[in-house]
């Protein structure tokens, strides 16, 4: 839920606050509540640096080549402040660049808990050196790094091909930590210190002087320099008094936005770096933005912002920050794909420029014909408020290699419990236990499958999380048990703002243990949120996270059962009374770190601790399900995310596709959008179309604002109820395919929902398409997102390939753009020739009810008469697939008129009553006979039906156990 008007608050103060904040925001976001780059001091300072004037020089003679890394100094020739550059070649076709202060005044924040492990390294070697440059080999992959001394830059090559240049535009920006010089006492101290230096110089003129660390450097930093860069440390000069005392821009030490002042006790500390990508015109990623899949250039406007915020009714096609942030950008061309992962959790802005921006296709063609024009190039500039430069270059070269490399660093998508892939029904709020029971009965009476009912904040006792309203939900355990008897689950909301109330056990424990975030003065940080005055647990503290996890135990979360799961909302964190509706940047976390250093990590930590709590309550046996609104790199390890508080408008339906595609490219495969739109009331056509689209997105949940009309699937008349029922049933029939796709994502880091160019990387026609997409590698989906549409244009990629309409089974040759007529019941979906898709077509009320049901295989033949696919099957809820190898992974292959079933992974075994009910072969001729040959037993003849008009062959009841090996031969 956004911070929105409409809820009754216990105190008049909240109403006054929100009257001011939301006045005039009934139709769209109030932009004045959120900073632009010009209003963000560090972004303004960095953008003020013009290309081509880099003050940095690489001290090549300081190079230290260790067994794992190369280290050398950089020096800012204006300030004389030395930096330490560290370089790694990483196994798996990656490299890492880290830049930090050589002798910092105090430690700078380095992001923890995002990398799953320190990545294994390759041995580096110096392969060339001349005056002004040196060349490093980054391992056996053939990548070389050319380091240029002045101005400092780096060029990454493979063979003779330039892949990426670093600081080629001279935009490296590193604000060293310093003491504030504008107070009277500081000026006196400075003058005395300067005089004392002159006196000492008189007595030590003949003594060789060791260059000291930057004035005021912490002893810890000096020890690091001595240990790791002793020789390199002697290459730089001490900053001169003139440069140390240079006038600083207003806002460097204190910054005011609207009524809030950020005290900035550590002063300016931002970092930035530019990357040039020759040969690339298309870049993607850096979610979350309500933006097209292909990112636009930012020249003439604001950069893309990464700063987790609670944005009320967000605008579309806008670089403004939203609820989550993943600082991963992918660049793609027909030649290769690469990624840039900027590991920094502070507020970050990303500028994108291109030398082909604004040129029409005709203009580019004219350049080519005239022999002119330059090589396409995209330049990307990262700017963060604090921390260090820590960046990974993911060198592909294939799209799946890049997503796999990112997954090797930050982890893969957690394998969700099977029920979580079913349909979820939510609203703010179901009123009480009777309302929940009535909604559940509605799904039964109207034969709409549903796995989960959701409860928003009104279910708790006065917004006190981990409790139940005693009048509305007096018997929560009985309610959960009634749902469980129907094989359904429930999700309740648990937000990370805790009501300040001395009668509330959760608050008292957090306060007594010192687990709240602190103000800069050391008191518990408090702000305003749904309960009124609220304090915020410090999720960066491992002890606090362990305590939070313990609260999900059945004896702590009273009324909870194993079928109750969790929704973490408002975890950006949302602070109604804070700057930009979030926490003050000078709030203090565990270890003394400012909130500014780690803001974008907060939501990840909330989801992490909540997921761990669900795992612990089951004794480590069962997989969790946690939905989170805020996220960061690595959040995929802990559950699902969604696109936040959208609106019941056609444009919001459209934008859900590129938003989820961007999430998937950044590792977050378990993504969806609120079906029907959170704000406003959808007309029937929009609601139906949204169900049809949502059924083909990974996370499938309907949700709505408190002030909207009720919109359960059966409330729009029988005709529309039938259309929604059909869409939901189509989702359930495909659950075996969805679950297998999530297993692929979990094992290999590939997105479940992916852009066409991931499967067809050389087809330039796919590079900007974001109204259709692939689910895994076999299904192409083009939802209808235009009001009153009578047809859609579908691009079918793949030279020499064929596609089959999953409804009519008509075959289409590729590549082509196909006009597909649609009615209100149409959902254009195509199966790729050469694939096998498993289904369960006996759709029941929930996923658990379908466990053990038989399977149907849809075999879509390629022009060569071949096909392959797989099926992953386990208990759908436990970690036994991982800890006890209790799973089946089956491989299906069609070649030479024979369909065979075999084990794709013989390490796994799993007992299931499920069997093969039917095989549908698309693109097949009529055989004389069909024979089943089991691995152990006599062969039998199968009944079949052939539809000559569509070339569809249906084999009836082979009857083989789904885990058995067999062959079906067409004679």
């Amino acid at each position: 839920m956004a911070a929105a008007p409409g809820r009754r608050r216990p105190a008049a103060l909240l109403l006054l606050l929100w009257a001011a904040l939301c006045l005039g925001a009934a139709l769209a976001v109030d932009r004045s509540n959120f900073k632009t780059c010009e209003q963000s001091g560090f972004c303004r300072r960095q953008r003020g640096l013009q290309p081509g004037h880099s003050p940095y020089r690489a001290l090549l003679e300081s190079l230290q080549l260790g067994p794992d890394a190369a280290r050398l100094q950089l020096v800012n020739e204006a300030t004389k402040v030395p930096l330490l550059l560290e370089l790694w070649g990483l196994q798996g076709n990656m490299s890492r660049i880290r830049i930090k202060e050589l002798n910092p005044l105090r430690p700078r924040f380095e992001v923890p808990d995002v990398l799953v492990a320190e990545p294994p390294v390759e041995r580096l070697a110096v392969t060339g050196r001349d005056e002004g440059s040196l060349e490093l080999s980054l391992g056996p992959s053939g990548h070389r790094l050319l380091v240029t001394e002045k101005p400092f830059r780096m060029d990454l090559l493979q063979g003779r091909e330039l892949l990426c240049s670093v600081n080629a535009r001279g935009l490296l920006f590193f604000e060293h930590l310093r003491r504030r010089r504008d107070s009277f006492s500081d000026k006196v101290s400075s003058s005395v210190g300067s005089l004392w230096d002159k006196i000492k110089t008189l007595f030590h003129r003949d003594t060789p002087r060791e260059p000291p660390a930057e004035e005021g450097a912490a002893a810890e930093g000096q020890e690091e320099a001595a240990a790791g860069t002793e020789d390199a440390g002697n290459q730089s000069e001490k900053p001169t008094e003139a440069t140390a005392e240079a006038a600083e821009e207003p806002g460097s030490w204190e910054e005011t936005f609207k009524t809030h002042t950020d005290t900035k006790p550590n002063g300016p500390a931002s970092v930035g770096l530019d990357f040039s990508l020759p040969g690339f015109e298309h870049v993607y990623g850096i979610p979350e933005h309500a933006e097209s899949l292909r990112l636009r250039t930012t020249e003439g406007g604001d950069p893309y912002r990464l700063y987790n915020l609670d944005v009320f009714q967000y605008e579309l096609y806008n670089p403004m920050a939203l609820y989550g942030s993943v600082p991963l950008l992918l660049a793609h061309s027909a030649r290769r794909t690469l990624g840039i992962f900027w590991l920094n959790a502070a507020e970050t802005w990303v500028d994108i420029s291109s030398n082909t921006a604004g040129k029409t296709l005709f203009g580019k063609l004219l350049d080519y014909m005239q022999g002119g024009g330059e090589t396409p190039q995209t330049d990307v500039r990262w700017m963060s408020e604090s921390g260090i430069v820590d960046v990974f270059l993911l060198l592909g070269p294939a799209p799946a290699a890049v997503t796999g490399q990112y997954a090797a660093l930050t982890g893969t998508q957690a394998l969700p419990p099977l029920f979580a892939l079913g349909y979820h029904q939510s609203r703010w709020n179901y009123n009480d236990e009777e309302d929940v029971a009535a909604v559940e009965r509605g799904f039964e009476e109207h034969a709409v499958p549903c796995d989960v009912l959701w409860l928003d904040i009104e279910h708790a006792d006065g917004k006190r999380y981990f409790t139940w309203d005693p009048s509305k939900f007096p018997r929560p355990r009985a309610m959960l048990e009634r749902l469980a008897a129907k094989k359904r689950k429930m999700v309740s909301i648990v937000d990370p703002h805790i009501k300040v109330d001395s009668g509330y056990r959760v608050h008292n424990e957090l306060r007594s243990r010192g687990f709240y975030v602190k103000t800069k003065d050391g008191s518990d940080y408090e702000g305003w949120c749904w309960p009124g005055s609220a304090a915020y647990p410090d999720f960066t503290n491992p002890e606090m996270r362990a305590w939070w996890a313990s609260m999900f135990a059945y004896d702590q979360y009273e009324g909870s059962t194993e079928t109750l799961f969790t929704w973490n909302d408002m975890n950006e964190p949302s602070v109604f009374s804070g700057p930009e509706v979030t926490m003050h940047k000078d709030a203090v976390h565990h270890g003394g770190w400012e909130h500014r250093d780690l803001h974008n990590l907060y939501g990840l930590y909330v989801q992490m601790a909540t997921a761990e709590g669900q795992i612990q309550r089951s004794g480590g046996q069962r997989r969790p399900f946690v939905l989170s609104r805020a996220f960061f790199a690595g959040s995929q390890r802990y559950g699902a995310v969604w696109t936040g508080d959208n609106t019941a408008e056609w444009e919001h339906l459209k934008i859900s596709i590129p938003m989820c595609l961007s999430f998937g490219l950044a590792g977050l495969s378990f993504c969806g959008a609120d079906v029907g739109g959170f704000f406003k009331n959808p007309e029937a056509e929009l609601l139906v179309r949204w169900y049809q689209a949502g059924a083909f997105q990974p996370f499938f949940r309907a949700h709505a604002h408190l002030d909207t009309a009720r919109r359960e699937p059966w409330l729009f008349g029988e005709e529309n109820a039938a259309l929604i029922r059909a869409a939901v049933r189509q989702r359930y029939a495909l659950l075996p395919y969805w679950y297998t796709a999530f297993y692929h994502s979990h094992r290999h880091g590939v997105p479940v929902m992916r852009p066409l160019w991931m499967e067809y990387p050389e087809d330039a026609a796919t590079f900007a398409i974001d109204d259709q997409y692939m689910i895994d590698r076999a299904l192409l989906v083009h939802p209808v997102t235009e009001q009153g549409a009578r047809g859609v244009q579908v691009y079918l990629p793949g030279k020499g390939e064929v596609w089959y309409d999953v409804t009519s089974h008509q075959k289409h040759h590729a590549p082509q753009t196909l006009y597909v007529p649609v009615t209100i019941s149409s959902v254009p979906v195509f199966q790729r020739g050469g694939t096998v898709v498993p289904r369960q077509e006996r759709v029941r009320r929930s996923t658990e009810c379908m466990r053990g049901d038989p399977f149907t295989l849809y075999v879509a033949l390629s022009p060569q008469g071949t096909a392959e696919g797989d099926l992953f099957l386990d208990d759908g809820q436990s970690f036994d697939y991982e800890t006890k190898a209790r799973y089946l992974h089956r491989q299906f292959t069609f070649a030479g008129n024979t369909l065979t079933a075999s084990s794709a992974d013989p390490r796994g075994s799993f007992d299931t009553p499920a069997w093969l009910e039917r095989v549908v072969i698309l693109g097949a001729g009529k055989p004389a006979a069909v024979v089943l040959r089991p691995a152990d037993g006599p062969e039998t003849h199968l009944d079949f039906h052939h539809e000559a008009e569509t070339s569809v062959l249906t084999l009836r009841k082979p009857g083989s156990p789904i885990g058995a090996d067999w062959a079906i031969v067409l004679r």
Side-chain angles (χ1 to χ4, degrees), residues 801-872:
E801 294 194 26
V802 293
W803 295 84
Y804 298 87
D805 185 308
V806 299
T807 302
S808 69
H809 300 153
Q810 184 177 354
K811 181 167 69 175
H812 303 278
H813 291 271
Q816 68 162 306
T817 298
L818 181 71
Y819 178 77
V820 181
V822 298
T823 66
I824 189 61
S825 64
S826 302
V827 188
V829 181
F830 296 83
Q831 184 173 343
R832 186 180 187 175
T835 64
V836 179
V837 170
R839 296 177 180 241
Q840 282 181 303
E841 299 193 318
R842 299 187 186 184
V843 173
R844 305 182 193 273
R845 71 161 68 100
S846 70
T847 55
E848 191 174 343
C849 292
M850 295 169 65
R851 188 177 299 169
D853 277 358
F855 289 84
T856 294
L857 299 180
Y858 280 78
V859 181
L861 298 184
S862 70
Q864 295 75 36
T866 61
E868 62 178 7
D870 63 334
L871 169 69
F872 177 78

Side-chain angles (χ1 to χ4, degrees), residues 550-828:
S550 74
M551 288 301 297
F552 290 89
Y554 302 127
D555 61 348
Q556 294 294 317
Y557 191 167
E558 188 176 351
S560 65
T561 71
E562 65 183 13
T563 60
L564 180 66
F565 297 87
T566 312
W567 172 17
N568 293 146
D569 199 5
M570 316 295 286
N571 55 336
E572 293 75 26
S574 179
V575 183
F576 295 170
S577 54
E580 300 192 270
V581 202
T582 194
M583 188 172 285
H584 291 72
K585 287 183 174 180
D586 55 8
V588 180
H589 289 266
H590 176 70
W593 298 110
E594 283 191 290
H595 185 71
R596 85 180 70 252
D597 298 318
L598 50 81
H599 171 87
N600 288 341
L601 279 175
Y602 191 87
L604 175 144
Y605 278 133
V606 176
Q607 191 179 22
M608 175 194 292
T610 303
E612 182 59 32
Q614 288 187 14
I615 294 170
Q616 287 180 10
R617 75 180 185 183
S618 70
Q621 297 299 306
R622 295 201 170 193
R623 285 174 253 164
F625 172 72
V626 182
L627 177 71
S628 175
R629 189 170 71 177
F631 53 81
F632 190 65
S635 288
Q636 66 270 14
R637 305 197 300 265
Y638 305 109
V641 293
W642 91 108
T643 62
D645 296 339
N646 57 4
T647 302
E649 296 172 352
W650 287 94
E651 288 298 315
H652 276 261
L653 168 58
K654 290 178 192 176
I655 205 72
S656 70
I657 299 172
M659 289 182 77
C660 275
L661 288 172
S662 295
F663 281 39
L665 289 174
L668 299 161
S669 270
F670 204 0
C671 166
D674 285 345
V675 169
F678 178 66
F679 293 111
K680 299 186 179 181
N681 295 303
E683 69 269 24
E685 182 191 2
L686 175 58
L687 185 65
V688 167
R689 289 302 192 195
W690 214 317
Y691 268 96
Q692 292 169 344
F696 287 96
Q697 292 179 358
F699 177 56
F700 186 22
R701 180 186 77 150
H703 185 51
H705 188 278
L706 181 73
D707 293 337
T708 62
R710 293 292 284 257
R711 59 167 87 143
E712 284 73 40
W714 49 88
L715 295 180
F716 288 74
E718 181 49 41
E719 181 181 350
N720 292 309
L723 293 166
I724 293 172
R725 181 187 306 115
V728 178
R729 289 176 65 86
Q730 196 167 11
R731 168 62 167 232
Y732 275 73
L734 277 169
L735 280 173
Y737 182 72
W738 279 107
Y739 195 56
T740 302
F742 268 91
Y743 182 71
H744 296 159
S745 183
H746 178 57
R747 285 297 185 218
H748 306 297
V750 291
V752 170
M753 176 181 173
R754 63 187 71 151
L756 268 62
W757 58 259
M758 279 204 73
E759 289 296 317
Y760 298 92
E762 297 180 6
D763 186 349
T766 67
F767 294 175
I769 291 177
D770 61 7
D771 58 356
Q772 61 181 74
Y773 54 90
M774 301 291 296
I775 302 172
D776 206 60
R777 61 175 299 271
L779 294 181
L780 184 153
V781 185
H782 191 309
V784 180
T785 59
E786 295 282 351
Q787 185 175 16
R790 296 184 178 182
V792 295
Q793 298 280 352
V794 179
Y795 180 67
L796 300 176
K799 186 176 182 180
E801 294 194 26
V802 293
W803 295 84
Y804 298 87
D805 185 308
V806 299
T807 302
S808 69
H809 300 153
Q810 184 177 354
K811 181 167 69 175
H812 303 278
H813 291 271
Q816 68 162 306
T817 298
L818 181 71
Y819 178 77
V820 181
V822 298
T823 66
I824 189 61
S825 64
S826 302
V827 188

Side-chain angles (χ1 to χ4, degrees), residues 20 124 128 308 347 365 442 448 597 724 746 764 915 925 927:
L124 306 185
N308 296 358
E347 178 187 349
L365 182 62
V448 178
D597 298 318
I724 293 172
H746 178 57
W915 51 284

Side-chain angles (χ1 to χ4, degrees), residues 414-419 565 614-615 618-624 739 743 746-747 851 872-887 909-910:
L415 182 64
L418 181 59
F419 81 82
F565 297 87
Q614 288 187 14
I615 294 170
S618 70
Q621 297 299 306
R622 295 201 170 193
R623 285 174 253 164
Y739 195 56
Y743 182 71
H746 178 57
R747 285 297 185 218
R851 188 177 299 169
F872 177 78
L873 192 63
D874 71 342
D875 63 20
Q877 62 182 12
S878 78
F879 288 105
D880 285 358
Y881 75 95
E882 197 166 55
T883 60
K884 300 179 181 177
R886 291 192 64 241
Y887 64 88
S909 63
F910 179 67

